[in-house]
């Protein structure tokens, strides 16, 4: 029997059908997914769309053309079977993203990385298997229906994705750095990160996401961690007030309480321009304090505004260096990882969970380098050592990655494959030990007020570490107290440290005694189905956290955990969301 000749028309028809099925997942995973992630988070990335986006689109088109051509040499039935499985994979990925990722952990939120419970993983795997099995059965038993079904559904889905892709550009803020290079814009200078005053210093370490339960776990493994902290008092009952670097960091720096009746942008403006904050920074200026802040993501403090909000208060606000460098290999890898994290089944998500230390180091400024990860801060501390400036007093705020992710060993070296909670904490205190020793070597330790704390703990255990050594404070060994303090008390404590009346700002941590009962509340951000969806603060991205659950307690962490575990909270709706 003679084989039916392949005409140019039939070849083109088969080729276009194949191209459609092949291009859809490439576009969805490799173009639309990374683009949507970028436009929803561009204020945190530091790079611009053209530095990866059009390249991803071009590669996807070329790959689709090539793969579709190669598949034309495969006999019809196995080719259709391959395309059916690919179609099933794409449909499952689309449904996963649109409907099954509800309450999916945000990348970088959990120190342990993303994990899902076994039931969720199994049910999700069954869903994917059903979709893939159905695609095979349709191909085998409904050959006539198969081509039409794949063509129609793929065309509709590709159309939806393209419309969504185009809308990203139409709705994005044209003045934002999604389109413009940041050269010459205001930024935080990292030049003085290792410079302190030869006169008086207030040094505040904000170690991100550092729960006091992490400290307890590590101390059991490394009891010598307190050796260098003999002059400190450890407050083991410290409340963060707000879970999340937003709004906690802005609250720590200004003392301004969260107002859920305001949008993110309006509240951040209020933080930096109100009578109390203005008076606070005037006091620091009166006492000749230079305030230097080192943090990698300034939108946490400004929203969509510029760092002009901080001018006159934070002294290392300046224009950005022009020597901007991008690690393109890391950029490409990170955007694809983030896309796969959203699209793939629950079982595979942990393998694509992107660490903060990965995406925050894509862009660097060699002439304006700022260290954020524990290990990079420690490496440079060892290389450059601390230096002194006699022109003013210094209030230095070091916001470091802390235990936001477990990636360093006990010597504070990068070791993500073997790192644990305990080794990460021990490594952080290896770094702090070296810092404190250099303060002593320079003769400025005794005259420094030093606070080692965090912006928050973990969601379920939101209390955080709080160590403090006042000026000329000494002990034979570290003191520990369960006095019920809060980050609401931080600004008054700083004002107390410079010798001014702090009572207009609230209460100092020294106003509370051990075993005292005090009402405290912590705000935990959530997506609450009882309230309507909200956009993120940039006004573009949907699906922000739409409420806070407020837990009010009177005792210790044990009492807070009881409320959290049993769902005893007061819900508070918000207008929009940072996260």
């Amino acid at each position: 029997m003679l084989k039916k000749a392949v005409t140019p028309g039939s070849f083109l028809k088969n080729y276009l059908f194949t191209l459609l099925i092949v291009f859809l997942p490439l576009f969805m995973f490799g173009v639309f997914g990374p683009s949507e992630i970028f436009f929803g988070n561009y204020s945190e990335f530091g790079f611009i769309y053209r530095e990866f986006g059009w390249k991803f689109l071009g590669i996807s088109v070329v790959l689709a053309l090539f793969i579709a051509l190669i598949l034309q040499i495969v006999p019809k039935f196995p080719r259709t079977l391959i395309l059916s499985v690919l179609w099933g994979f794409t449909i499952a990925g689309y449904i996963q993203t649109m409907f099954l990722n509800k309450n999916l952990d945000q990348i970088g939120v959990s120190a342990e990385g993303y994990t899902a419970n076994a039931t969720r993983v199994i049910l999700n795997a069954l869903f994917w298997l059903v979709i893939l099995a159905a695609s095979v059965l349709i191909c085998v038993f409904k050959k006539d229906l198969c081509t039409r079904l794949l063509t129609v559904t793929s065309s509709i889905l590709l159309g939806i994705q393209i419309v969504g892709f185009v809308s990203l550009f139409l709705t994005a803020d044209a003045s934002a750095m999604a389109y413009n290079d940041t050269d010459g814009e205001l930024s935080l200078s990292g030049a003085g990160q290792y410079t302190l005053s030869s006169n008086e210093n207030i040094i505040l370490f904000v170690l991100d996401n550092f729960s006091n339960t992490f400290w307890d776990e590590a101390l059991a493994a490394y009891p010598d961690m307190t050796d260098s902290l003999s002059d400190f008092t450890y407050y083991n009952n410290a409340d963060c007030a707000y879970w999340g670097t937003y709004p906690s960091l802005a609250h720590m720096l200004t003392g301004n309480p969260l107002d859920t009746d305001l949008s993110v942008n309006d509240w951040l403006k209020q933080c930096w321009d109100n009578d109390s904050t203005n008076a606070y920074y005037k006091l620091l200026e009166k006492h000749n304090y230079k305030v230097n802040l080192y943090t990698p993501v300034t939108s946490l403090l400004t929203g969509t505004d510029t760092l002009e909000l901080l001018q006159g208060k934070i002294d290392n606000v300046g224009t950005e260096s022009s020597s901007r460098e991008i690690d393109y290999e890391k950029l490409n890898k990170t955007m694809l990882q983030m896309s796969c994290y959203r699209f793939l089944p629950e079982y595979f998500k942990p393998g694509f969970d992107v660490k903060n230390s990965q995406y925050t180091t894509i862009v660097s400024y060699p002439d304006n380098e700022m260290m954020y990860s524990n290990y990079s801060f420690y490496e440079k501390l060892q290389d450059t050592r601390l230096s002194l400036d006699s022109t003013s007093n210094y209030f230095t705020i070091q916001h470091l990655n802390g235990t936001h992710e477990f990636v360093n060993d006990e010597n504070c070296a990068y070791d993500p494959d073997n790192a644990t909670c305990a080794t990460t904490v021990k490594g952080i205190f290896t770094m702090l030990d070296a810092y404190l020793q250099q303060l002593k070597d320079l003769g400025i330790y005794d005259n420094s007020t030093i606070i080692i704390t965090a912006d928050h703990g973990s969601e379920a255990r939101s209390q955080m570490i709080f160590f403090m050594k006042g000026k000329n404070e000494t002990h034979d060994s570290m003191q520990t107290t369960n006095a019920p303090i809060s980050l609401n008390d931080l600004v008054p404590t700083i004002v107390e440290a410079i010798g001014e009346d702090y009572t207009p700002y609230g209460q100092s941590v020294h106003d509370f005694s051990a075993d005292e009962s005090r009402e405290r509340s912590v705000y935990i951000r959530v997506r609450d189905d009882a309230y309507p969806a909200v956009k993120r603060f940039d006004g573009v991205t949907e699906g922000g956290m739409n409420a806070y659950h407020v837990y009010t307690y009177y005792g210790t962490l044990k009492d807070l955990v009881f409320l959290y575990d049993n769902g005893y909270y007061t819900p508070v709706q918000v207008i929009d969301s940072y996260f």
Side-chain angles (χ1 to χ4, degrees):
M1 181 182 293
L2 295 176
K3 289 185 178 180
K4 185 177 180 180
V6 178
T7 66
S10 63
F11 175 84
L12 180 60
K13 182 179 178 181
N14 290 333
Y15 179 74
L16 291 177
F17 168 69
T18 305
L19 181 62
L20 172 65
I21 309 304
V22 169
F23 181 62
L24 175 58
L26 288 172
F27 182 80
M28 192 164 74
F29 282 78
V31 180
F32 181 65
S35 299
E36 191 174 36
I37 291 166
F38 171 79
F39 282 106
N41 302 276
Y42 61 78
S43 60
E44 298 183 38
F45 286 139
F47 48 85
I48 58 178
Y49 186 77
R50 69 169 181 263
E51 287 166 327
F52 77 95
W54 305 124
K55 176 172 63 179
F56 280 18
L57 178 60
I59 291 173
S60 295
V61 170
V62 171
L63 271 178
L65 291 169
F66 178 73
I67 294 171
L69 185 61
I70 292 298
L71 285 175
Q72 296 313 298
I73 65 175
V74 177
K76 183 177 179 179
F77 178 75
R79 179 173 72 240
T80 305
L81 183 60
I82 292 170
L83 294 177
S84 296
V85 172
L86 186 59
W87 171 82
F89 176 82
T90 307
I91 295 298
Y94 179 76
I95 296 173
Q96 178 77 45
T97 305
M98 295 300 295
F99 305 107
L100 302 183
N101 281 345
K102 188 177 181 181
N103 298 322
L104 177 68
D105 284 1
Q106 291 177 303
I107 290 174
V109 167
S110 172
E112 298 89 345
Y114 176 69
T115 56
N117 62 57
T119 301
R120 182 169 172 172
V121 171
I122 292 169
L123 291 175
N124 188 249
L126 289 173
F127 160 76
W128 277 76
L129 289 173
V130 167
I131 294 292
L132 292 174
S135 66
V136 172
L137 292 173
I138 291 170
C139 175
V140 173
F141 297 105
K142 297 288 184 180
K143 296 178 182 178
D144 294 336
L145 173 64
C146 180
T147 301
R148 293 197 304 274
L149 177 65
L150 268 59
T151 301
V152 172
T153 54
S154 297
S155 298
I156 292 173
L157 193 51
L158 182 59
I160 292 172
Q161 297 281 306
I162 290 173
V163 169
F165 177 67
V166 172
S167 70
L168 292 173
F169 297 90
L170 297 178
T171 56
D173 182 356
S175 66
M177 68 177 182
Y179 297 103
N180 302 303
D181 290 314
T182 57
D183 183 30
E185 291 186 0
L186 290 174
S187 68
L188 292 174
S189 170
Q193 191 169 12
Y194 296 87
T195 302
L196 294 167
S197 173
S198 57
N199 302 313
E200 294 187 4
N201 292 282
I202 300 171
I203 303 167
L204 174 63
F205 277 95
V206 182
L207 303 169
D208 213 306
N209 195 54
F210 202 146
S211 169
N212 52 21
T213 60
F214 291 172
W215 165 259
D216 293 339
E217 179 181 336
L219 187 60
Y222 303 101
D224 62 337
M225 283 198 303
T226 62
D227 290 354
S228 65
L229 303 173
S230 60
D231 298 324
F232 286 77
T233 297
Y234 175 50
Y235 294 80
N236 65 11
N237 185 18
D239 183 78
C240 67
Y242 307 105
W243 179 70
T245 308
Y246 174 90
S248 186
L249 188 60
H251 170 244
M252 294 176 74
L253 298 181
T254 66
N256 193 49
L258 180 66
D259 186 344
T260 55
D261 290 330
L262 296 177
S263 68
V264 169
N265 289 321
D266 287 344
W267 179 72
L268 288 171
K269 286 179 184 177
Q270 182 193 78
C271 281
W272 294 101
D273 188 14
N274 65 78
D275 291 343
S276 180
T277 300
N278 292 335
Y280 171 52
Y281 280 93
K282 284 292 184 184
L283 280 179
L284 290 167
E285 182 181 2
K286 171 186 170 183
H287 286 263
N288 196 30
Y289 274 93
K290 184 177 184 179
V291 183
N292 288 334
L293 167 65
Y294 303 99
T295 184
V297 182
T298 57
S299 62
L300 288 160
L301 304 173
T302 65
T304 58
D305 279 305
T306 71
L307 281 167
E308 188 175 355
L309 282 180
L310 278 61
Q311 284 187 307
K313 296 180 175 70
I314 304 299
D315 290 288
N316 62 322
V317 174
T319 55
E320 199 162 89
S321 167
S322 60
S323 59
R324 177 172 174 268
E325 293 184 358
I326 294 178
D327 185 336
Y328 285 101
E329 181 180 352
K330 186 180 290 184
L331 167 59
N332 298 337
K333 175 185 175 183
T334 299
M335 297 311 295
L336 291 174
Q337 271 186 255
M338 287 181 168
S339 183
C340 289
Y341 178 78
R342 296 174 65 213
F343 283 106
L344 291 182
E346 293 286 348
Y347 178 80
F348 296 103
K349 288 187 188 297
F352 295 94
D353 190 10
V354 175
K355 300 294 186 183
N356 284 357
S357 57
Q358 180 172 322
Y359 74 80
T360 57
T361 54
I362 292 171
V363 179
S364 61
Y365 297 88
D367 297 333
N368 184 30
E369 196 171 32
M370 185 184 298
M371 300 304 173
Y372 172 61
S373 65
N374 309 320
Y375 51 87
S376 62
F377 183 88
Y378 181 50
E379 287 173 4
K380 190 168 183 182
L381 175 67
Q382 292 177 301
D383 290 342
T384 66
R385 303 187 66 80
L386 298 176
S387 60
L388 297 178
D389 173 22
S390 62
T391 60
S392 64
N393 299 323
Y394 270 55
F395 180 11
T396 300
I397 303 135
Q398 304 277 9
H399 177 210
L400 303 181
N401 203 25
T403 53
H404 220 307
E405 53 200 14
F406 304 148
V407 294
N408 60 257
D409 66 14
E410 59 188 24
N411 298 312
C412 207
Y414 184 63
D415 187 14
D417 294 332
N418 300 302
T420 64
C421 175
T423 66
T424 299
V425 171
K426 172 59 176 173
I428 289 170
F429 279 86
T430 296
M431 170 194 74
L432 291 170
D433 289 353
Y435 194 94
L436 296 175
Q437 185 58 53
Q438 289 193 29
L439 294 180
K440 293 175 182 177
D441 295 342
L442 291 170
I444 61 172
Y445 171 81
D446 291 336
N447 213 29
S448 296
T449 297
I450 306 170
I451 298 174
I452 302 167
T453 186
D455 50 349
H456 59 89
S458 59
E459 179 180 352
R461 306 290 185 269
S462 58
Q463 283 197 345
M464 77 294 164
I465 60 165
F466 193 100
F467 300 84
M468 181 172 180
K469 181 199 83 71
K471 187 168 61 174
N472 298 317
E473 181 177 356
T474 60
H475 313 130
D476 292 332
S477 60
M478 187 185 79
Q479 308 296 295
T480 300
T481 177
N482 69 352
I485 68 166
S486 164
L487 287 181
N488 290 320
D489 313 324
L490 181 60
V491 165
T493 301
I494 299 297
V495 175
E496 179 189 40
I498 64 176
E500 290 281 351
D501 178 16
Y502 62 85
T503 55
Y505 301 92
Q507 294 174 284
S508 159
V509 298
H510 300 114
D511 289 337
F512 302 97
S513 57
D515 299 320
E516 181 176 342
S517 178
R518 178 191 184 189
E519 179 181 291
R520 292 175 293 171
S521 294
V522 59
Y523 286 61
I524 307 290
R525 68 176 187 267
V526 296
R527 287 191 182 91
D528 191 325
D529 292 337
Y531 298 109
V534 298
K535 287 188 175 183
R536 285 197 37 195
F537 70 101
D538 56 14
V540 176
T541 313
E542 301 283 354
M545 300 290 187
N546 64 346
Y548 286 99
H549 287 173
V550 184
Y551 299 86
T552 299
Y553 65 110
Y554 295 86
T556 63
L557 175 63
K558 180 180 69 174
D559 301 288
L560 173 59
V561 169
F562 175 81
L563 297 179
Y564 181 89
D565 289 347
N566 291 280
Y568 296 133
Y569 58 81
T570 300
V572 178
Q573 187 177 0
V574 298
I575 296 173
D576 64 356
S577 174
Y578 183 87
F579 294 102

